[in-house]
Amino acid sequence: MGFNNAFRNINRLRQILAVLVKYGFEDVIANSTLRNAVPERLRIKWMRAEQPALQYTRWERIRMAAEELGPTFIKLAQILSNRPDIIPQALVKEFEKLQDKVPPFSSEEARQIVEMEMGKPIDDVFEYFSFNPIASASIGQVHRARLKSGLDVVVKVQRPGIQEIVERDLSILAEIVKRSDRYLKKQGLLNGADMVAVFERSITKELDYTNEARNMTRFRELYKSYKNFSIPRPVREISTQKVLVIEFVDGCKFTDVKQIRAWGLNPHRIVENGFKIYLTQIFEYGIFHADPHPGNVMVTRDGTITLLDFGMVGQLSKKDKYAFANVFIGMAQQDARKMAINLKRLSIEDDIKDMRAFENDLNEIIEDYATLNVSEGSIADLVASLQKLMLRYQMAVPPSIFLIFRALTILEGIGKIMHPELKTFEYIRPFGAKIMQEQWSAENIWNEVSIRAEQISSLLTNFPIEVREILKQARKGKLHFEVELQGYGYLLKKMDSITNRITMTLIICALLIGSSILATVKFADEFTTNSGLPVFSAAGFTIAGVLFAILIYATLRRRYYK
C-alpha cells in the first residue's frame, strides 16, 4: 500500500503520530520520513516538560499507546503477544495485560446489521432477540436470542465499519513501518514488516465469521464421540461474514470453583479432564483452540467442558507435531541432542552456527529441571527458558508453536489455582509414548518412504530436462544472472541530497559572482540604489543570501534528525 493511500487518511495518521509523541516515541518520528506528515510548527524540537507518561518503562508506554490508538492496535498487540520470536519478552508481558473491551454500539445499529446480513426482518428469524449485549469487544458484540424453532442461541454481530477502520489503520501502519524501518532496525526490531504481515493475516480471518463457524464444525466432527467435552453448534444456514449464530451453552466459567462444587462436581477432576482434552488437541489431532483463557472455557451442570470463541485456531503439520513432541520426549529422557535436533527441525530458519554450543545450552535447561521433583516442575518456566533460547539463536518457528506455549502456560496457571497438586508433566508423558508409536508405525513409515520415493522420482525425471534447458539458453546467449544489492537505498537518498546541496551552492556562487561583476558596471541613476549599488546586483545578493540561509537551515535540520 502506497503512501498516497495513507495520505488520504492524514488526520488519522497525525492522530497516531500525536499519540506516539505523547508517550515519548518522538525519536521514531524524528529519525524517519514520518516527520514530513507533521506540520512544521508541531515539530520544532519536540521538547516537553516532564510528563507522567515518561515515568513508565518504554514497554509500558508502547502498551498504553496501543490502548489509546483503539481496536486495530489493541488487536495487533494481542496477536504479537503470541510471538516472542518477533518482539522482546518484556513487551510480550505488557501486551498480555491488554483488555479488548470497548463500549457496545447501539441496538439500532445491531438490528440493521443483522437484518441486512440475513436479508429479512429480525422478527422473521428470531422469536426473541435481546438488544442488550452480554459482551462487547473491538471486533463485535454478543446478544442472547431464541430462534423460531425454540433453540436458544447467542448472536455475534460485527461492529459497524470495523473492516474499513482496520483496512485504513493497516495501510497507515504498513507505511509507518516502511518509513521508519532503518531506525527500527537500529533499535533491534529487525522484522517490522513481518509483524504487520502476521497481523494482517490474523485480523482478516477474524473479521470473517464464516471462518469461526468452519472451525467449530471441524472441532465438533473430531470430538463427536467425547462425553466430557463439547463445542457449541454454529447455525451456519443463517450465519454470514458479519453475523454468527451459535447454540447457547448454559454453564459457568472454568474458574468458578464455588459453582462447580455447588453442582456436586470435583474441581480437580474438571482440571485434569481439561488438561487431557487440550493435550489431545495438540498431540493427537494437531489442531487446537489457541485462546483458552477462563472466559472461553465453560463447565456445564453435568461436568462437560465446553470451548467458546474459535476465532483463533492453531494447527500443526504432522512433521511439526512429531518434532514438537520429541522436544518434550528428549527433555524427559534428559537427551540434549534429541532436543536440539528436533528444535532445529521445527525451525524455518535459525542462526545456529555451533550445534554443540546449542546442545550445551539445552543441557543446562535439562539440568535445571532434572533436580526438581514432579510437583515443582512448571511448564511456564520451561516455556520461558525455551523462548529465551530461541530468541538467542534467532530461531523462526511456526507461529502455532508459540500459541501452544501460551495456551499451556494459561492452562497450567488456571489449573494450579484450582488444583494446587496438579502434576503437569505427568499428563504430557503418556502422549509422548503415543506419538512415538504413531511416528514409528508401519503405516507412517510407509507414507514417509512413499513421499521420499516420489520426490526422488520427480528429481530424476526433471533434472535432465532442467539441465538441457539451461544449456539451450546458454547456446542462445540468453542465460542471465540477477544480482540484487542490499542496503543501497539509503546511499542513493544521501547522494540525491548531496547533489541538491551542491546544485544550490553552485547557484549561490553564480549569483554572487554575477552580482559582483554587475557592481563594477556603471548604470543609470534609476537602476542604482541609494548606496550606489546597481539594483541588479542588490537583487542578486539578496537572492543568494536567502538561498544560503535555506541551505544552512536544511543542513542543520538534516543533522539534527539524522
Side-chain angles (χ1 to χ4, degrees):
M1 297 181 185
F3 189 67
N4 288 338
N5 290 336
F7 192 79
R8 292 178 196 143
N9 302 302
I10 192 66
N11 289 333
R12 173 61 172 162
L13 176 60
R14 285 181 176 171
Q15 180 189 354
I16 291 169
L17 299 183
V19 172
L20 290 177
V21 171
K22 174 181 175 180
Y23 287 100
F25 298 108
E26 63 268 33
D27 53 334
V28 177
I29 303 167
N31 290 281
S32 69
T33 55
L34 288 170
R35 62 179 176 273
N36 296 327
V38 182
E40 187 75 24
R41 58 189 171 79
L42 297 180
R43 58 178 169 92
I44 306 291
K45 286 188 177 179
W46 277 306
M47 296 295 290
R48 310 185 302 276
E50 186 178 355
Q51 294 189 19
L54 299 180
Q55 295 173 4
Y56 298 93
T57 67
R58 188 175 184 85
W59 312 124
E60 287 174 321
R61 287 184 280 123
I62 292 174
R63 188 247 307 159
M64 291 188 289
E67 285 176 327
E68 189 163 330
L69 287 171
T72 307
F73 290 85
I74 290 174
K75 275 291 175 189
L76 169 61
Q78 288 175 329
I79 289 166
L80 290 177
S81 70
N82 300 318
R83 297 299 306 271
D85 58 327
I86 291 181
I87 62 175
Q89 187 62 32
L91 188 53
V92 169
K93 291 191 176 297
E94 284 301 317
F95 281 168
E96 286 174 349
K97 298 176 185 177
L98 284 168
Q99 297 295 313
D100 187 12
K101 292 181 180 178
V102 294
F105 50 90
S106 70
S107 58
E108 185 55 37
E109 286 178 304
R111 176 190 288 275
Q112 287 174 3
I113 292 168
V114 172
E115 291 183 343
M116 185 180 297
E117 289 295 307
M118 294 187 174
K120 58 182 73 172
I122 209 165
D123 294 333
D124 289 355
V125 181
F126 300 99
E127 179 183 307
Y128 157 78
F129 191 101
S130 171
F131 286 102
N132 293 320
I134 57 175
S136 176
S138 58
I139 299 296
Q141 60 192 37
V142 182
H143 297 260
R144 284 286 308 272
R146 182 178 294 124
L147 297 176
K148 291 287 187 180
S149 63
L151 178 68
D152 284 326
V153 294
V154 292
V155 183
K156 290 179 71 171
V157 184
Q158 195 171 104
R159 189 168 289 276
I162 188 65
Q163 291 194 2
E164 292 75 15
I165 292 170
V166 167
E167 286 174 7
R168 179 196 65 189
D169 283 353
L170 277 173
S171 171
I172 294 172
L173 191 59
E175 195 60 36
I176 288 175
V177 168
K178 177 183 172 184
R179 289 179 171 263
S180 56
D181 184 59
R182 192 167 60 89
Y183 176 73
L184 293 175
K185 284 181 177 176
K186 285 182 181 178
Q187 302 304 309
L189 196 62
L190 303 177
N191 40 16
D194 288 349
M195 289 187 187
V196 179
V198 167
F199 176 52
E200 189 167 4
R201 286 195 298 271
S202 178
I203 197 73
T204 300
K205 285 183 180 178
E206 201 165 341
L207 286 171
D208 185 354
Y209 285 164
T210 58
N211 279 318
E212 185 172 350
R214 280 194 295 271
N215 290 335
M216 295 176 79
T217 302
R218 186 174 181 185
F219 270 76
R220 282 176 61 82
E221 184 63 29
L222 288 174
Y223 295 95
K224 61 186 177 184
S225 62
Y226 281 64
K227 303 298 182 186
N228 62 348
F229 177 53
S230 70
I231 294 96
R233 178 174 70 87
V235 188
R236 297 187 67 176
E237 52 269 24
I238 56 173
S239 296
T240 68
Q241 278 191 323
K242 296 182 179 181
V243 175
L244 178 59
V245 182
I246 310 168
E247 173 188 16
F248 174 72
V249 177
D250 188 14
C252 68
K253 279 188 178 182
F254 190 72
T255 50
D256 193 346
V257 178
K258 185 177 179 182
Q259 183 61 64
I260 289 171
R261 287 200 171 117
W263 286 337
L265 302 172
N266 184 343
H268 291 189
R269 182 64 59 83
I270 296 293
V271 169
E272 290 166 3
N273 287 342
F275 220 84
K276 287 177 185 175
I277 287 166
Y278 198 81
L279 292 173
T280 300
Q281 292 178 32
I282 298 168
F283 294 115
E284 285 194 26
Y285 296 115
I287 178 171
F288 56 94
H289 187 287
D291 194 18
H293 67 73
N296 285 341
V297 187
M298 295 191 71
V299 180
T300 60
R301 191 178 291 271
D302 63 355
T304 300
I305 294 172
T306 303
L307 286 178
L308 309 175
D309 192 355
F310 283 78
M312 192 184 293
V313 168
Q315 196 162 351
L316 282 176
S317 66
K318 188 176 284 190
K319 170 180 166 290
D320 289 340
K321 183 177 76 170
Y322 292 152
F324 183 73
N326 277 309
V327 171
F328 283 90
I329 292 169
M331 179 82 186
Q333 295 173 344
Q334 298 186 26
D335 187 343
R337 182 169 179 75
K338 187 170 192 171
M339 285 185 75
I341 289 169
N342 284 284
L343 276 171
K344 194 161 176 64
R345 282 176 184 163
L346 263 183
S347 64
I348 300 164
E349 58 180 339
D350 57 65
D351 191 33
I352 302 173
K353 295 182 175 66
D354 186 343
M355 197 66 178
R356 284 195 300 178
F358 185 53
E359 287 177 27
N360 289 337
D361 287 339
L362 283 168
N363 202 52
E364 287 182 16
I365 294 174
I366 290 172
E367 288 175 358
D368 288 342
Y369 288 90
T371 57
L372 302 177
N373 61 43
V374 176
S375 62
E376 292 176 317
S378 167
I379 285 285
D381 293 340
L382 175 59
V383 163
S385 299
L386 287 174
Q387 285 180 348
K388 285 178 184 175
L389 194 69
M390 288 176 175
L391 192 61
R392 190 187 316 157
Y393 286 97
Q394 296 182 23
M395 299 178 71
V397 299
S400 291
I401 299 302
F402 293 106
L403 291 176
I404 292 172
F405 282 165
R406 177 176 177 269
L408 287 175
T409 302
I410 291 171
L411 285 172
E412 184 186 55
I414 296 169
K416 288 198 171 182
I417 291 171
M418 299 172 64
H419 186 353
E421 293 81 31
L422 181 70
K423 298 175 181 178
T424 311
F425 287 105
E426 286 296 294
Y427 293 97
I428 296 177
R429 200 184 303 275
F431 286 96
K434 283 183 182 179
I435 286 288
M436 290 291 286
Q437 289 176 0
E438 180 185 334
Q439 187 176 5
W440 298 108
S441 66
E443 182 185 357
N444 194 59
I445 290 173
W446 174 251
N447 287 338
E448 285 294 319
V449 169
S450 299
I451 291 168
R452 296 291 178 268
E454 188 177 334
Q455 289 173 340
I456 292 170
S457 172
S458 176
L459 174 65
L460 294 175
T461 303
N462 293 327
F463 185 73
I465 298 171
E466 296 289 345
V467 171
R468 190 182 301 119
E469 185 63 27
I470 290 170
L471 292 173
K472 182 180 176 182
Q473 294 296 327
R475 280 196 303 270
K476 292 180 178 180
K478 294 182 179 179
L479 194 62
H480 300 289
F481 295 93
E482 289 187 8
V483 179
E484 184 178 348
L485 299 175
Q486 298 288 336
Y488 63 89
Y490 175 70
L491 179 62
L492 290 176
K493 288 181 182 177
K494 196 72 177 173
M495 289 176 65
D496 182 58
S497 176
I498 292 169
T499 303
N500 290 338
R501 291 183 202 172
I502 291 173
T503 302
M504 187 173 283
T505 303
L506 290 174
I507 292 171
I508 292 169
C509 289
L511 284 169
L512 289 173
I513 293 169
S515 299
S516 299
I517 292 170
L518 286 173
T520 64
V521 178
K522 182 70 174 176
F523 285 93
D525 291 343
E526 59 267 26
F527 295 111
T528 305
T529 62
N530 293 332
S531 61
L533 192 67
V535 171
F536 303 109
S537 294
F541 286 132
T542 303
I543 295 170
V546 171
L547 291 178
F548 180 72
I550 293 172
L551 180 62
I552 292 297
Y553 171 76
T555 303
L556 293 175
R557 190 184 69 160
R558 177 66 64 177
R559 185 173 298 170
Y560 179 76
Y561 290 127
K562 189 174 179 181

